[in-house]
């Protein structure tokens, strides 16, 4: 966690992370690609192939998993097919689109740091 992190430090951390992702995948991923990557990692069943609907589900899993780092969601169950299901614990604070994106980026950085990938 980086409670006293300045905006400049945060942006630097994000830039460094995106450079690592570019090196790993050969191109810079967007937020949707990162969410899909996290969802696939959380599902733990390999890289697919996935239908469009499954990709949306994977991105939802990723969002829930990311926001579970701050206590907004918690894992409720894993179904018989191995898909995790989360429940909302407390509402995610309403924020502007820019604030939502920053929150998402911060949670992505924390997720990969927790996984030992940063």
């Amino acid at each position: 966690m980086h409670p006293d992190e300045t905006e400049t430090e945060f942006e630097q951390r994000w830039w460094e992370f995106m450079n690592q992702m570019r090196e790993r995948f050969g191109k810079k991923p967007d937020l949707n690609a990162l969410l899909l990557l996290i969802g696939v990692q959380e599902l733990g069943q390999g890289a697919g192939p996935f239908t469009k609907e499954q990709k949306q589900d994977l991105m939802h899993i990723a969002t829930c998993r990311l926001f579970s780092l701050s206590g907004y969601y918690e894992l409720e169950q894993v179904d018989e097919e191995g898909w995790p299901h989360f429940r909302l614990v407390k509402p995610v604070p309403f924020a502007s689109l820019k604030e939502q994106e920053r929150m998402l980026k911060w949670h992505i950085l924390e997720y990969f740091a927790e996984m030992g990938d940063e």
Side-chain angles (χ1 to χ4, degrees):
M1 297 275 189
H2 304 271
D4 299 324
E5 185 174 51
T6 68
E7 193 62 29
T8 304
E9 290 167 337
F10 170 77
E11 290 298 329
Q12 178 67 26
R13 205 160 55 105
W14 181 254
W15 183 81
E16 289 169 3
F17 170 75
M18 291 305 283
N19 279 338
Q20 290 172 1
M21 292 294 106
R22 184 184 298 117
E23 287 173 20
R24 184 183 293 182
F25 298 110
K27 63 180 182 177
K28 183 178 152 188
D30 62 13
L31 284 176
N32 286 339
L34 288 170
L35 288 174
L36 190 58
L37 174 68
I38 292 168
V40 169
Q41 191 165 307
E42 287 300 307
L43 182 61
Q45 296 180 3
F50 296 105
T51 66
K52 185 177 180 179
E53 185 177 310
Q54 286 174 321
K55 286 179 182 178
Q56 290 174 333
D57 290 344
L58 287 165
M59 291 169 70
H60 177 72
I61 287 169
T63 302
C64 292
R65 173 63 176 90
L66 289 171
F67 282 93
S68 74
L69 295 171
S70 295
Y72 294 105
Y73 285 88
E74 68 181 18
L75 181 63
E76 189 171 39
Q77 68 173 24
V78 175
D79 68 22
E80 61 280 352
E81 295 175 2
W83 287 72
H85 295 270
F86 290 82
R87 73 176 185 86
L88 185 65
V89 176
K90 61 183 179 182
V92 178
F94 183 80
S96 70
L97 208 51
K98 184 176 179 172
E99 290 169 329
Q100 287 175 15
E101 184 177 298
R102 189 192 186 288
M103 253 179 108
L104 194 57
K105 286 178 177 180
W106 185 86
H107 281 88
I108 288 170
L109 289 171
E110 294 303 307
Y111 175 84
F112 280 98
E114 188 180 275
M115 293 294 140
D117 287 355
E118 192 181 67

